[in-house]
Amino acid sequence: MAPAAMTFAQSLSDAQPVPFWLEDPGKPGALPALTGDERTDLLVVGGGYSGLWTALLAKERDPGRDVVLIEGREVGWAASGRNGGFCAASLTHGLGNGLARWPEELAQLEELGARNLDAIEDTVARYGIDCDFERTGEIDVATEPHQLDDLREMHEEASRHGFTGLELLDADAVRAEVDSPTFLGGLWDRRGVAMLHPAKLAWGLKQACTDLGVRIYENTRGLELSASGAGMAVRTPYGRVFARRVALGTNVFPSLVRRVRAYTVPVYDYALMTEPLSPAQLASVGWKRRQGLGDSANQFHYFRITADQRILWGGYDAIYPYGGKVSAELDHRPETYLKLASHFFHCFPQLEGLRFSHAWGGAIDTCSRFSAFYGSAHGGKVAYAAGFTGLGVGATRFGADVMLDLLAGEESERTRLKMVRTKPLPFPPEPVAWAGIGLTKWALARADARGGRRNLWLKAMDRLGLGFDS
């Protein structure tokens, strides 16, 4: 191993192979599994953000409604407890993706997204959820000249459409916020993103749900969905739940509605967490306003500072397992950790000697349009939302409202949206999916290395509306 690589490896020598967030001493104990049969008005399948928001909003809409939630492991153990804690207002995976796909609805989508983030902030305050919520915004940083051009273009496009919440930063301005010699400029969304502790948000929503009377069963996997009289039934390992309506918040895990499965693929994303920075180390970086950051490459990094002054550094590698396999074996990838460590010290050379305390990964539900899709099945008795593609911390609350609208048979501002009424293109079966995703990843990396120039393959994918991201 080369000397530099050895240094990066040494920075990882004490890293625990577990998600930092899930080791918090405030983690609640697991609730008992379901045994026997249950009957309810609404069954929610999945105990991540999607399911928790659905259960909570269902009780807020109608306190008399009986609601049951089942979770295959423990609440928040999967993506909801492993992500970076970026809670974004965007429902479209960013302004650029929204302009490309739903330009005629974008103003409405941006407004709905802003209201959704405000509602999350209100919920956190109203229920006293201690999740380190900070409305600090996010800076997209340019580390290559062509990325700076892209940020300028996005700023101009946003201004033309009347969106005034973005501030373009030159190199001096962005480095005054967070100091890295790699930063050439940035685009700061001051109000559109909050930072939070993701597992604490999930646990807080769990407590709020149980306080309102939601019955939650953990270690209770939904195995099979079938019609039962005027309602539906879901079989579990030790029993069944009979429900008038069912909301599916299973996301990356195989949907109980089989036809939905082709619309998503699992993508494994990985992150590192540093030990707490000393006052001198923190001063060398700045970061006084604690914004989230992300670079503008196709293979991008996201990074933020925590309440106890650690830096989370994630992204870059997006690993698709052949056949769409979701497995605990894929939660760790030492070769990616080493790559991330080298990139971290390239970004922040002034932090040489800092060590990582945790390293982990997890699966994201990716769809070909990069933002969630919605639908119903079984004559409107079942609703689903999936495909959040890494933006689920905030957008799942909006998805929960959509599912509840669909189950109520209500036409609303949300259900009238083209974004809600249409589906992404499905992924092809294997081995075509594996080959296509591999080729797309290669082409994206090549574009990053060639000043952002997209080859014929990427241009063809753009025209078809197909993509691959995490």
Side-chain angles (χ1 to χ4, degrees):
M1 186 179 289
M6 179 61 75
T7 300
F8 303 142
Q10 288 170 345
S11 73
L12 292 160
S13 62
D14 297 324
Q16 297 298 305
V18 292
F20 168 79
W21 312 113
L22 294 177
E23 281 210 312
D24 192 277
K27 179 181 179 180
L31 294 171
L34 172 68
T35 55
D37 291 348
E38 271 276 23
R39 296 185 181 275
T40 187
D41 295 327
L42 173 66
L43 169 64
V44 179
V45 182
Y49 297 139
S50 188
L52 291 165
W53 280 118
T54 303
L56 183 66
L57 292 174
K59 292 295 283 187
E60 288 185 343
R61 288 187 182 198
D62 179 2
R65 177 166 20 193
D66 191 62
V67 180
V68 168
L69 183 150
I70 61 172
E71 160 55 39
R73 293 278 293 273
E74 293 183 34
V75 161
W77 78 276
S80 297
R82 296 166 186 261
N83 62 82
F86 288 63
C87 186
S90 178
L91 304 175
T92 62
H93 212 279
L95 193 62
N97 194 50
L99 280 169
R101 298 182 187 278
W102 305 286
E104 70 283 356
E105 289 184 344
L106 190 62
Q108 184 181 11
L109 289 167
E110 289 291 299
E111 171 62 22
L112 285 167
R115 281 160 39 191
N116 184 65
L117 182 55
D118 288 344
I120 292 172
E121 185 171 17
D122 174 71
T123 299
V124 167
R126 189 155 34 92
Y127 289 100
I129 298 175
D130 178 17
C131 63
D132 305 331
F133 189 98
E134 298 180 280
R135 193 82 174 256
T136 56
E138 179 180 5
I139 303 176
D140 290 332
V141 296
T143 57
E144 298 288 345
H146 75 272
Q147 296 170 9
L148 192 56
D149 293 338
D150 292 342
L151 292 182
R152 289 194 191 101
E153 183 179 331
M154 182 54 62
H155 184 253
E156 292 169 1
E157 190 77 15
S159 298
R160 279 197 296 271
H161 284 81
F163 305 126
T164 59
L166 302 179
E167 180 180 349
L168 193 63
L169 308 176
D170 63 17
D172 289 340
V174 73
R175 292 186 64 174
E177 296 297 329
V178 183
D179 191 15
S180 167
T182 67
F183 294 171
L184 304 179
L187 190 61
W188 186 1
D189 182 350
R190 285 181 172 267
R191 291 285 298 165
V193 183
M195 297 292 107
L196 52 76
H197 186 304
K200 284 184 176 180
L201 175 61
W203 300 334
L205 291 173
K206 173 184 175 180
Q207 184 64 53
C209 284
T210 57
D211 287 348
L212 293 180
V214 177
R215 299 194 302 286
I216 297 177
Y217 296 97
E218 295 182 282
N219 294 302
T220 301
R221 183 181 168 203
L223 300 175
E224 184 181 20
L225 174 71
S226 60
S228 177
M232 303 298 300
V234 171
R235 183 170 60 86
T236 71
Y238 306 128
R240 295 170 298 176
V241 183
F242 297 94
R244 293 179 58 250
R245 297 289 185 267
V246 177
L248 300 178
T250 50
N251 297 304
V252 77
F253 299 100
S255 176
L256 293 179
V257 177
R258 295 188 66 88
R259 70 170 185 267
V260 176
R261 297 180 185 181
Y263 291 106
T264 63
V265 294
V267 176
Y268 276 81
D269 179 58
Y270 299 90
L272 306 177
M273 185 71 84
T274 73
E275 62 189 357
L277 274 65
S278 69
Q281 288 170 326
L282 190 58
S284 75
V285 177
W287 224 332
K288 294 178 182 177
R289 291 194 257 200
R290 306 177 57 79
Q291 309 95 327
L293 282 90
D295 66 50
S296 303
N298 291 310
Q299 291 184 286
F300 63 92
H301 304 90
Y302 55 88
F303 39 115
R304 50 80 56 98
I305 195 161
T306 66
D308 60 348
Q309 316 297 5
R310 301 169 185 264
I311 295 176
L312 177 141
W313 179 267
Y316 194 79
D317 274 348
I319 305 301
Y320 168 69
Y322 184 87
K325 178 186 179 185
V326 178
S327 168
E329 296 174 8
L330 301 170
D331 286 346
H332 299 288
R333 199 167 190 264
E335 60 267 43
T336 292
Y337 299 152
L338 192 62
K339 191 182 300 181
L340 286 173
S342 71
H343 295 173
F344 176 87
F345 290 111
H346 176 70
C347 182
F348 296 119
Q350 67 269 44
L351 296 179
E352 182 180 355
L354 190 67
R355 300 175 75 85
F356 297 101
S357 62
H358 296 76
W360 72 93
I364 293 169
D365 60 326
T366 292
C367 74
S368 63
R369 72 183 193 186
F370 306 146
S371 58
F373 62 92
Y374 316 89
S376 60
H378 292 275
K381 290 179 285 189
V382 177
Y384 56 83
F388 290 93
T389 316
L391 242 68
V393 181
T396 45
R397 184 190 177 281
F398 176 83
D401 263 330
V402 172
M403 284 195 284
L404 292 171
D405 289 350
L406 293 172
L407 290 174
E410 296 175 355
E411 184 177 293
S412 67
E413 182 181 13
R414 290 177 288 264
T415 60
R416 286 192 294 269
L417 290 166
K418 182 179 178 182
M419 186 188 75
V420 169
R421 292 184 288 104
T422 59
K423 299 283 194 299
L425 289 172
F427 289 94
E430 299 292 13
V432 179
W434 170 262
I437 290 171
L439 181 56
T440 301
K441 288 177 60 181
W442 170 83
L444 290 170
R446 193 162 183 257
D448 284 338
R450 299 178 66 212
R453 293 190 297 275
R454 298 172 78 82
N455 64 13
L456 291 175
W457 174 261
L458 291 179
K459 290 177 181 177
M461 295 297 100
D462 292 342
R463 285 194 296 272
L464 292 171
L466 278 168
F468 176 77
D469 203 356
S470 67

